């Protein structure tokens, strides 16, 4: 103001008027924001709210990524069958949804109307980049179109041999035969596991939500280091493949791959849209990081819980074994072929029931760009984060009688009639469903079939698992099982 006065009274008046206008504008924006928030809160009263800690903390700290946290979800679902309102803070309401009827309008909405929310998924951005999991709008639509051919049946067929080979290696590892794979830890896999833990921990610590503050924390520094490990690994792989492609040329490179399957990086390098545009190295790295996490971690969780459930229920394990033995009868080599995957109906039912009881991904979230009407007349206001609980839906007694019981016969053709297709959503559903679900199911079938054909699987009674729902459903100290070779293959 001293400078303004030196310039003359008119300048002082002008600057004062500008400052007053800015202040009034800020106050008006604040009033509008508060008014809209109050209106949203009024509309949210139609959803039940569980008891909270206080008006200031809301439900902060009540949800935990522990065994007790999952049991709390069971209690919430038992009391609020369709969903409830959860306050992460005084200014962050979240709708937790547990029923196909409340999930339907969100899951089936277009990706433009119901995009991934930025609060939770935003924490993954420095790790996974702008890949298919996190991208939005036209970029997501373009990448989805480009990547869909990579998961066509004709491409998946070529991976069955790899599934068989990897299963053979795993079975050798169990008894340390001709393999040192257990003695060679991967810094890349270690970094992925650490990133998963750190992202979930950040969700539960409000002070770590601001990026600038998180970067100053010990967790933030560990996160940055793990990201660097993952990105350097992926970038090196992409660069080597890109150089090989550029050196040979597209046609010669394709000819050099004849007779063997191409992996995911190969397919990303070759993909083109209708205008001939390819993916950039940055896009390829983001998709590779996304599918390395989503493609191996989720399937590993699904497989581990499947073997655990079969160990808990030897009668179902034996029925799977007989089904596989009948399939492989008379063959010189014990391998599952592509055509066999549709000839394992009971094994498939066991896999689905395990994915219901222990879904690798326990929840997905959306933040809609417009109001969403539910069948019962309630409305989800625009901009509200909706946490769609896959675990809660899979354990909802209104949808699944005796939800804690492992019963593969739920998925028989007879028992599946009349059930909502959104009652079972381990791979999500709608436009943003998991693009690799057929790949994952094929992989699970091959590994499960060969394992039960060769081993008896039993529980380690001294090490009961405690579930740990991070980004992927894990356990606190591993899943400990006892495998004994069957006499026929000993």
């Amino acid at each position: 103001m001293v400078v303004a006065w030196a310039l003359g009274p008119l300048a002082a008046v002008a600057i004062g008027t500008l400052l007053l206008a800015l202040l009034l504008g800020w106050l008006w924006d604040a009033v509008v924001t508060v008014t809209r928030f109050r209106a949203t809160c009024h509309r949210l009263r139609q959803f039940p709210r569980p008891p909270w800690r206080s008006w200031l903390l809301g439900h902060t700290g009540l949800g935990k990524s522990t065994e007790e946290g999952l049991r709390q979800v069971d209690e919430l679902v038992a009391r609020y069958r369709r969903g409830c309102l959860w306050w992460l803070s005084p200014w962050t309401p979240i709708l937790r949804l547990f029923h196909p009827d409340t999930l339907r309008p969100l899951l089936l909405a277009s990706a433009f109307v119901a995009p991934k929310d930025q609060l939770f998924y935003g924490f993954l951005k420095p790790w996974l980049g702008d890949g298919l999991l996190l991208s939005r709008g036209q970029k997501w639509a373009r990448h989805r179109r480009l990547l869909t051919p990579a998961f066509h049946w004709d491409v998946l067929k070529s991976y069955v041999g790899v599934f068989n080979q990897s299963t053979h290696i795993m079975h050798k590892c169990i008894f340390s035969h001709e393999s040192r794979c257990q003695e060679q830890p991967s810094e890349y896999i270690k970094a992925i596991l650490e990133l998963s833990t750190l992202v979930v921990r950040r969700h539960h610590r409000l002070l770590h939500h601001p990026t600038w503050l998180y970067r100053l924390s010990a967790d933030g520094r560990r996160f940055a280091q793990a990201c660097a490990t993952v990105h350097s690994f992926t970038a090196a792989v992409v660069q080597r493949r890109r150089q090989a492609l550029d050196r040979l040329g597209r046609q010669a490179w394709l000819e050099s791959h004849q007779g063997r399957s191409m992996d995911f990086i190969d397919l990303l390098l070759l993909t083109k849209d209708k205008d001939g545009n390819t993916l950039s190295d940055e896009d390829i790295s983001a998709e590779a990081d996304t599918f390395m996490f989503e493609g191996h971690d989720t399937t590993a969780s699904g497989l581990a819980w499947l073997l655990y459930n079969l160990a808990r229920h030897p009668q179902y394990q034996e029925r799977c074994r007989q089904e596989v033995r009948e399939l492989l009868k008379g063959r010189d080599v014990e391998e599952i072929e592509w055509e066999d995957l549709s000839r394992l109906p009971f094994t498939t039912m066991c896999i689905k029931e395990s994915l219901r009881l222990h879904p690798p991904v326990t929840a997905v979230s959306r933040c809609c760009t417009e109001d969403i009407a539910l069948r019962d007349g309630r409305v989800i206001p625009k901009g509200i984060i909706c946490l769609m609980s896959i675990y809660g839906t899979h354990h909802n007694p209104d949808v699944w009688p005796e939800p804690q019981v492992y019963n593969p016969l739920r998925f028989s053709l007879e028992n599946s009639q009349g059930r909502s297709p959104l009652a079972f959503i381990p791979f999500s559903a709608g436009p943003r469903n998991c693009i690799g679900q057929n790949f994952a199911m094929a992989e699970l079938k091959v590994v499960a079939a060969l394992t039960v054909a060769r081993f008896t699987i039993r529980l380690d009674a001294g090490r009961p698992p405690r579930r740990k729902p991070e980004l992927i459903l894990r356990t606190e100290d591993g899943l400990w099982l006892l495998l004994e070779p069957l006499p026929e293959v000993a």
Side-chain angles (χ1 to χ4, degrees):
M1 294 301 293
V2 173
V3 175
W5 187 258
L7 295 175
L10 288 179
V13 170
I15 292 177
T17 303
L18 176 61
L19 292 175
L20 180 61
L22 291 173
L23 177 61
L24 290 175
W26 179 85
L27 289 173
W28 175 253
D29 289 341
V31 169
V32 170
T33 300
V34 170
T35 301
R36 288 176 178 171
F37 184 69
R38 285 172 59 88
T40 297
C41 291
H42 179 75
R43 300 172 75 188
L44 288 173
R45 289 176 187 169
Q46 55 193 327
F47 297 93
R49 173 180 60 81
W52 57 12
R53 296 176 65 183
S54 69
W55 69 268
L56 178 61
L57 295 175
H59 297 95
T60 303
L62 294 181
K64 292 180 169 51
S65 298
T66 61
E67 174 70 32
E68 290 72 25
L70 277 183
R71 291 177 184 173
Q72 180 196 59
V73 176
D74 290 328
E75 293 171 4
L76 287 174
V77 174
R79 184 172 180 181
Y80 310 102
R81 300 296 177 92
R82 293 177 179 266
C84 63
L85 180 62
W86 194 265
W87 286 87
L88 187 63
S89 68
W91 54 85
T92 312
I94 296 173
L95 283 175
R96 301 178 68 169
L97 307 176
F98 312 127
H99 193 280
D101 287 349
T102 49
L103 299 180
R104 179 177 288 103
L106 292 161
L107 287 174
L108 301 186
S110 77
F112 298 92
V113 172
K116 303 285 181 72
D117 87 87
Q118 294 302 295
L119 175 60
F120 296 117
Y121 285 100
F123 295 156
L124 293 167
K125 202 82 166 184
W127 167 17
L128 300 179
D130 215 14
L132 201 58
L133 179 67
L134 303 180
S135 58
R136 301 160 62 96
Q138 292 296 338
K139 182 169 186 177
W140 172 84
R142 176 175 179 265
H143 279 218
R144 180 79 182 204
R145 287 194 303 270
L146 286 172
L147 295 180
T148 295
F151 295 92
H152 190 271
W153 296 113
D154 291 336
V155 176
L156 296 183
K157 288 180 183 179
S158 64
Y159 288 117
V160 174
V162 178
F163 297 159
N164 280 276
Q165 182 183 8
S166 297
T167 306
H168 299 328
I169 294 172
M170 181 184 76
H171 291 167
K172 289 179 182 181
C173 284
I174 290 172
F175 294 101
S176 300
H177 288 174
E178 303 174 18
S179 174
R180 300 181 62 188
C181 63
Q182 291 173 312
E183 303 170 19
Q184 299 170 351
S186 166
E187 291 299 316
Y188 181 76
I189 299 299
K190 181 181 176 182
I192 288 178
L193 295 176
E194 182 165 39
L195 288 168
S196 299
T197 298
L198 291 172
V199 166
V200 173
R201 193 150 67 200
R202 187 180 179 189
H203 285 166
H204 294 297
R205 297 179 177 178
L206 291 181
L207 289 178
H208 282 178
H209 283 198
T211 300
W212 68 271
L213 201 56
Y214 185 63
R215 287 174 177 167
L216 298 175
S217 68
D219 274 7
R221 291 191 292 273
R222 288 173 57 196
F223 183 84
Q225 185 175 1
C227 277
T229 299
V230 169
H231 292 160
S232 62
F233 178 89
T234 308
V237 172
V238 173
Q239 187 176 20
R240 285 198 303 270
R241 300 290 183 84
R242 175 75 77 183
Q243 289 173 348
L245 178 60
D246 292 342
R247 184 175 63 253
L248 293 175
R250 182 184 178 90
Q251 188 58 39
W253 194 87
L254 284 171
E255 291 173 358
S256 71
H257 279 67
Q258 286 183 356
R260 65 184 180 92
S261 60
M262 290 188 288
D263 63 25
F264 187 62
I265 301 293
D266 297 332
L267 294 167
L268 289 176
L269 284 166
L270 291 172
T271 189
K272 289 184 178 182
D273 62 20
K274 60 182 180 181
D275 298 320
N277 297 317
T278 61
L279 294 172
S280 67
D281 284 357
E282 182 182 3
D283 287 338
I284 292 173
S285 294
E287 299 298 356
D289 285 333
T290 296
F291 283 100
M292 187 60 187
F293 162 61
E294 285 196 300
H296 102 272
D297 224 6
T298 51
T299 311
S301 171
L303 176 62
W305 286 112
L306 170 63
L307 298 180
Y308 168 77
N309 284 312
L310 291 178
R312 286 181 63 217
H313 300 89
Q315 73 278 23
Y316 297 139
Q317 181 184 154
E318 182 58 29
R319 187 167 169 182
C320 287
R321 183 173 295 113
Q322 294 305 320
E323 181 178 70
V324 177
R325 283 181 170 175
E326 184 65 27
L327 181 68
L328 298 177
K329 185 185 297 183
R331 298 189 186 180
D332 296 332
V333 179
E334 279 193 351
E335 290 208 349
I336 303 298
E337 299 173 357
W338 173 257
E339 292 73 18
D340 296 332
L341 299 180
S342 60
R343 300 169 186 164
L344 295 166
F346 188 75
T347 303
T348 302
M349 285 191 277
C350 288
I351 293 172
K352 288 183 175 181
E353 175 65 349
S354 186
L355 292 174
R356 181 197 67 82
L357 195 60
H358 296 100
V361 177
T362 59
V364 295
S365 59
R366 301 285 189 270
C367 186
C368 294
T369 58
E370 59 186 51
D371 290 353
I372 299 293
L374 301 179
R375 282 184 171 181
D376 58 13
R378 293 181 295 178
V379 175
I380 298 176
K382 176 179 74 172
I384 293 299
I385 296 174
C386 295
L387 190 69
M388 297 181 285
S389 178
I390 295 173
Y391 176 90
T393 304
H394 286 186
H395 289 74
N396 192 325
D398 280 356
V399 182
W400 302 96
E402 297 183 290
Q404 304 300 336
V405 175
Y406 181 81
N407 177 15
L409 296 176
R410 298 178 196 271
F411 289 93
S412 68
L413 290 176
E414 179 183 2
N415 292 332
S416 297
Q417 291 180 1
R419 182 186 300 144
S420 168
L422 299 182
F424 177 66
I425 48 172
F427 302 103
S428 190
R432 293 201 74 141
N433 67 347
C434 175
I435 195 173
Q437 58 184 295
N438 293 323
F439 182 100
M441 284 298 294
E443 188 175 5
L444 288 170
K445 289 180 186 182
V446 171
V447 180
L450 293 179
T451 302
V452 298
R454 296 168 181 167
F455 300 95
T456 295
I457 312 165
R458 295 192 176 93
L459 294 175
D460 185 341
R463 291 174 167 175
R466 280 177 53 83
R467 296 169 297 175
K468 187 179 181 182
E470 295 187 328
L471 292 180
I472 305 299
L473 182 58
R474 312 180 192 278
T475 60
E476 291 181 4
D477 189 33
L479 266 171
W480 294 87
L481 302 173
L482 304 174
L483 274 70
E484 299 176 7
L486 292 166
E488 295 85 350
V489 294

